[in-house]
Amino acid sequence: MEALRIESTHKTPRVILDPENGIFEFSGRSIPEDALGFYNPIFEWLDKYAQQPLPRTHVRFDLEYFNTSSSKNILEILKRLEAIHASGHEVRVTWFYDEDDEDMEETGQDYQALLNLPIELSVKVQS
Amino acid sequence: MQLNNIIFVYQGEVTADLVSSILQMVENKLEGEGEDRKVKKRVFNVMVECLQNVYHHLDALPPTDPSNPVRDKTALLMIGREEKDYFIITGNHVLNDRIPDLKARLDRINRASKEELKQLYQEVLTGTGFSEKGTAGLGMIDIARKSGQRLGYDFHPVNEKYSFFSLEARVSRIPEK
């Protein structure tokens, strides 16, 4: 299975889904008007990965901000990861946020509350 | 409201490209003026939701309806800054029969505590709250959460079919500790 790589734009995040190492990453911002159009290929890729996932998958969300239509799609991604995790293949999620960004921290808490998935909230180290 | 408080005002047709340009322009402006990072982020966030809300709403309107007082997908968008707050105002025409539902929703959001808004957000996100397709319900809750203040709104009757709906969201310029 091939990796999925999408470069970031002013409105959409950088996405790396690497099936060799089981490392997934979403970084940047996600504010497209048509969020489903952007996220659909990611869902399709994840559905394929779910058929033969690695024993361990680590997913990093390092988002600056996203709109509410993206938040539904991010929930859909996390639901797919939750299913992989429930099937006995460990999935670990790290949710990064800036130290002073309690909005992004709260959003991470929202997802923690809604899912049966280990989501670790982590303050981003400032460079 | 003084004119020099206004960062941006637009009245006209709203397209996806226009929304993108406005967001970029205002973001650059906030960046250039050295506004507090957290405040800047919040203003941008609320602005994205407000503008995309209007865009999606207009997109769903029947454009050729002859009783629509404004034929195009026209709206009013305004962003400004006062001593204590940024304000984001949007205005667009809505069908009168949508008003009770919109009003009920806004009142419910305005009555909700911080904790209740969080709960409502989670309910709508998972599809158990507000019986609304898509994400329209979520936008307003998100705006209210990030604003931390009551949403101002008004429905001004235009004719027997349409009213002009204006929505005002405020974001404090004083970052809370």
Side-chain angles (χ1 to χ4, degrees):
Chain A
M1 166 166 208
E2 286 206 17
L4 181 68
R5 288 170 197 276
I6 304 169
E7 281 310 313
S8 66
T9 69
H10 205 71
K11 293 190 135 185
T12 53
R14 176 170 183 242
V15 180
I16 299 171
L17 305 176
D18 172 2
E20 298 267 302
N21 301 301
I23 293 172
F24 301 171
E25 198 178 309
F26 299 84
S27 57
R29 56 174 66 176
S30 182
I31 53 167
E33 283 88 23
D34 175 24
L36 190 59
F38 177 79
Y39 283 98
N40 243 338
I42 296 168
F43 298 150
E44 283 168 19
W45 192 97
L46 285 171
D47 288 341
K48 253 186 237 159
Y49 179 78
Q51 290 167 15
Q52 274 186 309
L54 292 183
R56 282 195 183 81
T57 307
H58 186 201
V59 189
R60 297 161 53 96
F61 283 92
D62 185 356
L63 295 167
E64 191 189 350
Y65 30 56
F66 48 87
N67 59 1
T68 45
S69 64
S70 295
S71 66
K72 287 229 173 192
N73 288 282
I74 291 168
L75 178 67
E76 285 307 315
I77 290 174
L78 291 167
K79 277 188 183 164
R80 281 166 166 81
L81 297 170
E82 183 185 41
I84 295 172
H85 187 67
S87 73
H89 305 79
E90 188 194 324
V91 179
R92 217 155 42 83
V93 177
T94 311
W95 185 270
F96 291 95
Y97 63 94
D98 282 326
E99 197 176 3
D100 59 357
D101 188 353
E102 64 237 29
D103 292 335
M104 191 53 79
E105 184 184 3
E106 261 185 47
T107 313
Q109 290 169 352
D110 287 338
Y111 287 126
Q112 272 181 334
L114 294 171
L115 293 148
N116 238 326
L117 184 70
I119 301 175
E120 184 202 352
L121 303 185
S122 179
V123 175
K124 224 187 302 188
V125 179
Q126 302 287 340
S127 51
Chain B
M1 189 186 299
Q2 288 171 3
L3 203 59
N4 59 6
N5 289 335
I6 293 170
I7 295 173
F8 180 87
V9 62
Y10 174 83
Q11 187 184 13
E13 195 180 341
V14 175
T15 62
D17 283 347
L18 178 89
V19 170
S20 301
S21 312
I22 297 174
L23 291 174
Q24 205 159 340
M25 196 202 76
V26 177
E27 188 182 21
N28 290 343
K29 187 153 169 109
L30 295 177
E31 197 79 52
E33 289 175 357
E35 184 59 81
D36 178 86
R37 195 164 62 123
K38 195 166 133 188
V39 172
K40 198 179 67 193
K41 226 170 174 175
R42 252 188 201 157
V43 170
F44 188 72
N45 239 310
V46 170
M47 201 170 63
V48 168
E49 288 308 323
C50 288
L51 266 53
Q52 292 187 344
N53 217 7
V54 168
Y55 169 73
H56 286 299
H57 174 80
L58 293 177
D59 209 37
L61 267 189
T64 49
D65 188 338
S67 69
N68 186 341
V70 183
R71 297 258 166 81
D72 301 316
K73 298 173 186 295
T74 295
L76 171 76
L77 310 169
M78 182 152 65
I79 294 143
R81 180 174 44 202
E82 290 168 352
E83 196 190 332
K84 289 188 178 136
D85 290 329
Y86 280 89
F87 58 87
I88 294 121
I89 296 171
T90 60
N92 56 277
H93 291 91
V94 295
L95 291 163
N96 285 335
D97 54 22
R98 281 212 58 214
I99 294 177
D101 179 53
L102 257 171
K103 198 175 166 329
R105 191 174 303 183
L106 283 158
D107 288 342
R108 182 170 171 197
I109 289 171
N110 275 341
R111 272 196 313 268
S113 66
K114 200 169 176 254
E115 200 46 45
E116 285 165 343
L117 277 177
K118 188 185 175 86
Q119 233 170 42
L120 195 57
Y121 179 90
Q122 293 183 359
E123 282 169 20
V124 176
L125 184 64
T126 52
T128 53
F130 285 168
S131 60
E132 173 90 17
K133 34 183 170 0
T135 54
L138 204 57
M140 296 233 197
I141 303 168
D142 191 59
I143 293 165
R145 277 182 93 181
K146 302 231 158 82
S147 156
Q149 303 183 40
R150 287 168 58 93
L151 303 174
Y153 70 85
D154 182 51
F155 294 97
H156 186 77
V158 175
N159 59 24
E160 70 284 351
K161 206 165 173 196
Y162 285 95
S163 290
F164 189 75
F165 167 53
S166 56
L167 181 72
E168 181 187 47
R170 304 183 79 85
V171 176
S172 171
R173 296 181 67 188
I174 303 140
E176 65 221 57
K177 286 283 162 276

